[in-house]
Amino acid sequence: AQKITQTQPGMFVQEKEAVTLDCTYDTSDPSYGLFWYKQPSSGEMIFLIYQGSYDQQNATEGRYSLNFQKARKSANLVISASQLGDSAMYFCAMREGFGNYGQNFVFGPGTRLSVLP
Amino acid sequence: DAEITQSPRHKITETGRQVTLACHQTWNHNNMFWYRQDLGHGLRLIHYSYGVQDTNKGEVSDGYSVSRSNTEDLPLTLESAASSQTSVYFCASSEGEKLFFGSGTQLSVL
């Protein structure tokens, strides 16, 4: 079964508007972490934001916030005030396993975001 | 600064040849991973290691092998390259919450 689902293969957003990228996950591990990575056309994987399964508050990093709904198993990325430089592929990922040993990271298929001027 | 380095950045090879992709990290991380990235599939796990002499198969391990003789290196070997192995390969390491990626290797098997 797919552990990370991203249902939006591609999305468009107008510059300066907010956009939400969807991510749902599936795990039976009580301790897990959720991540978003950005991959621009240059190809590198850039870490954006992290949410731990026990964190009470939604994670925020500048213009990025993670809308964590544990009961629904969703971890949507919200980008506020989109910029042209936000055009990229975005991957949702999940870490299973506790501590530094035995971690397993799984990735979704990605969403390609295009920001329009 | 600590980092994770992949080499080569680009490689073209012929079917049937053995190819080795290098991955070297200077963070002293125990956990290291190899992923391949293909359109529509995101990143899929090939092999991973939780420490020296430890290696494990991921979801797409057929045709690949790894070895871990020290903490810093996890080379990925394609025993007999196939056209289906044309892909972008990422090495990564982790310690704690984050996964750190190398710059990737674009491999073309002709």
Side-chain angles (χ1 to χ4, degrees), chain A residues 16-73:
Chain A
K16 300 181 184 177
E17 292 187 349
V19 62
T20 298
L21 307 184
D22 294 340
C23 173
T24 58
Y25 61 92
D26 182 27
T27 182
S28 57
D29 193 335
S31 175
Y32 54 90
L34 297 158
F35 303 77
W36 279 90
Y37 284 85
K38 172 184 178 181
Q39 186 179 43
S41 57
S42 53
E44 73 265 34
M45 295 290 285
I46 301 170
F47 167 79
L48 293 180
I49 197 166
Y50 165 78
Q51 177 88 39
S53 58
Y54 295 118
D55 293 342
Q56 297 296 315
Q57 304 277 352
N58 284 344
T60 60
E61 292 282 351
R63 294 186 299 110
Y64 304 107
S65 60
L66 197 152
N67 184 0
F68 181 45
Q69 298 189 41
K70 195 170 184 177
R72 294 186 177 184
K73 294 190 174 180

Side-chain angles (χ1 to χ4, degrees), chain A residues 33 35 37 39 42-45 47 50 89 91 95 99-110 112, chain B residues 9 30-31 33 35 37 39-43 45 48 50 54 90 94-103:
Chain A
F35 303 77
Y37 284 85
Q39 186 179 43
S42 53
E44 73 265 34
M45 295 290 285
F47 167 79
Y50 165 78
M89 197 74 166
F91 291 100
R95 172 195 53 77
N100 292 331
Y101 184 84
Q103 296 174 331
N104 180 29
F105 292 82
V106 292
F107 287 78
R112 182 166 298 282
Chain B
R9 290 297 309 273
N30 284 321
N31 303 336
F33 308 83
Y35 293 90
Q37 182 179 15
L39 194 62
H41 292 280
L43 278 76
L45 185 63
Y48 57 103
Y50 292 141
D54 176 76
F90 283 99
S94 75
E95 195 83 22
E97 301 304 341
K98 284 187 189 177
L99 191 63
F100 298 86
F101 282 92
S103 299

